[in-house]
Amino acid sequence: MPNSTRPLPDGAEPADLVQWLHLVATETDHYREAVGAYHRVHRTDLSALSVIMRAVRDGVPLTPRRLGEALHLSPPATTALLDRLERAGHIERHREPGDRRLVHLTATDTARDTGKRLFGPLAQHIGEVAVKYTPAERAVIAAFLRDVTDATAAAREEATDV
């Protein structure tokens, strides 16, 4: 269990925020590992379900290539993943009528139900925390998290562009 009872400083320094974000990331990893093991769902499949559900929520068409890029998988690994997800009833593949080479992925009701079952408890607990803050505070937190996400992606690109 993380030391989340440690008192917060009056003025959190950037290093304090980085430490808290690291703890959030670590706990999220532990959650995925525990839920995946409990439900016998591979970690990559959980990540794929998360990407698929986000695409559904955002109304963004998802292709095998985009899913593979989002998960940093090779084309053969992406194909194996899609085969597993399709066998489990989580996705359907649909060929574009005008260009049969183009495949779109759609989430099934099974995927949505599985996503709710696996990630619902996490969303509920985080939601209970979020309502403690005013809408204006939540807007600042959301902007901060968006910017941190962008900064993390930029750091990854910089660190791997050696």
Side-chain angles (χ1 to χ4, degrees):
M1 182 118 196
N3 186 6
S4 59
T5 59
R6 189 180 78 210
L8 294 172
D10 288 337
E13 295 295 322
D16 297 322
L17 297 175
V18 169
Q19 183 179 18
W20 281 106
L21 287 168
H22 175 72
L23 288 171
V24 168
T26 300
E27 279 305 312
T28 301
D29 283 346
H30 292 324
Y31 182 86
R32 283 179 182 254
E33 289 170 13
V35 166
Y38 183 79
H39 290 283
R40 294 188 175 105
V41 178
H42 190 274
R43 182 180 179 89
T44 304
D45 296 9
L46 282 175
S47 296
L49 284 173
S50 178
V51 170
I52 292 165
M53 299 315 294
R54 188 170 45 245
V56 167
R57 183 195 68 218
D58 295 344
V60 176
L62 189 63
T63 64
R65 173 183 278 173
R66 285 189 184 151
L67 179 63
E69 288 170 354
L71 298 173
H72 305 282
L73 295 177
S74 67
T78 300
T79 299
L81 167 69
L82 292 173
D83 290 345
R84 282 195 312 273
L85 292 174
E86 195 169 42
R87 277 193 307 273
H90 294 307
I91 63 159
E92 293 176 349
R93 299 181 224 199
H94 302 281
R95 296 204 177 272
E96 187 71 30
D99 183 352
R100 303 278 303 151
R101 295 170 297 172
L102 185 59
V103 175
H104 289 285
L105 306 174
T106 57
T108 64
D109 289 340
T110 300
R112 286 184 273 283
D113 292 343
T114 300
K116 286 177 187 172
R117 189 174 70 248
L118 298 180
F119 295 106
L122 181 61
Q124 178 183 341
H125 283 272
I126 291 174
E128 290 168 2
V129 170
V131 297
K132 295 178 183 179
Y133 296 90
T134 67
E137 290 170 328
R138 288 194 302 268
V140 170
I141 294 166
F144 174 75
L145 292 173
R146 180 202 57 217
D147 293 348
V148 165
T149 300
D150 292 345
T152 302
R156 174 181 37 84
E157 289 176 16
E158 183 179 306
T160 57
D161 190 30
V162 182

